[in-house]
Amino acid sequence: MNGFPDSAPGRVLAFAAHPDDIDFGAAGTLAAWAAQGTEISYCILTSGDAGGFEAGGREDIIARRNAEQREAADIVGAGEIHFLGERDGFLSVNHEVVGKAVALIRRVRPDVVLSMHPERNWSRIQASHPDHLACGEIVTRAVYPAVENPFAYPELEEAGLHAYKVPWLVFYGAPRERENHAVDITEEVQTKLEAIRVHASQHPDLAGMESAVRSFLQENARRHGLPEGTSAEVFHVVGVNTPATIAGF
């Protein structure tokens, strides 16, 4: 048991490498939480400029993908979206980007930080785009120890963004051996698919994509022992500062 609460969290900050990542990874769970009153914010680390299928300049695809993400977030019930605008395909784990994540986490002060996973998934390598892995590492470094260390990024303290202890770090897109939490999203599947469909610039075969997503969610449920016919999103839950946490161990 990971100890993650059954009740919806009060505030969630969800990180992704690209527009559409959150919707594939966690839109059902986020929609269920939003319906229960959770305040949800997104942070998209790259501009998504390497996506799409049309030749030519990239400014149009950046604007389109940002708009798609805003529309999808509205469907899920998320509020504020922060676009950091890093170059798609070149996301780097460095102190500048980690500092931006630290600043945002300190500003939002979420109960749950949601992120892509920093470990490569060899059974489904498409989940392990280098930007996805970088997103996971950036967020992990931000959550511990930087966010809760008042001497890390002292300029943030001076700006009033004070140290904060994140209770829970929850990863989506985890390798199967890391999965320790499944959420029944049977009632939210249509909402999840509606959010994914919005990202039409990335999916030339929407019908095929939808069929694959349905099968994937049902397989998640079977693998985690949920009743036949249900659908699930699966996560790697890490308690960072919880009642069971022993600081420094």
Side-chain angles (χ1 to χ4, degrees), residues 24-29 179 181-189 192 213-227 229-235:
F24 276 99
T29 300
E179 294 171 359
H181 187 71
V183 178
D184 186 334
I185 63 157
T186 306
E187 299 301 318
E188 289 76 34
V189 168
K192 178 182 178 76
V213 169
R214 287 183 183 275
S215 296
F216 184 73
L217 297 174
Q218 291 166 3
E219 172 58 25
N220 284 344
R222 284 192 293 270
R223 199 168 66 253
H224 286 266
L226 274 64
T230 58
S231 296
E233 291 175 337
V234 291
F235 303 94

Side-chain angles (χ1 to χ4, degrees), residues 11-33:
R11 190 177 296 125
V12 173
L13 175 57
F15 285 87
H18 313 106
D20 79 4
D21 289 335
I22 290 172
D23 297 301
F24 276 99
T29 300
L30 290 172
W33 285 345

Side-chain angles (χ1 to χ4, degrees), residues 63-124:
R64 181 175 177 183
R65 296 198 73 182
N66 285 359
E68 287 174 340
Q69 184 62 91
R70 179 65 269 173
E71 183 179 350
D74 290 342
I75 291 168
V76 171
E80 195 169 17
I81 304 180
H82 306 268
F83 295 99
L84 294 195
E86 296 294 316
R87 186 180 175 190
D88 187 350
F90 293 81
L91 185 59
S92 176
V93 182
N94 60 58
H95 290 299
E96 180 181 358
V97 180
V98 172
K100 291 178 182 179
V102 170
L104 185 56
I105 295 168
R106 288 187 182 183
R107 182 177 296 118
V108 175
R109 306 179 89 77
D111 303 294
V112 173
V113 170
L114 189 72
S115 174
M116 314 194 85
H117 205 279
E119 296 181 42
R120 184 165 274 107
N121 185 340
W122 291 111
S123 65
R124 190 167 61 88

Side-chain angles (χ1 to χ4, degrees), residues 137-157:
E137 185 63 27
I138 288 164
V139 175
T140 301
R141 291 189 186 196
V143 166
Y144 185 82
V147 164
E148 63 184 66
N149 183 353
F151 305 110
Y153 300 96
E155 68 276 12
L156 298 180
E157 286 285 334

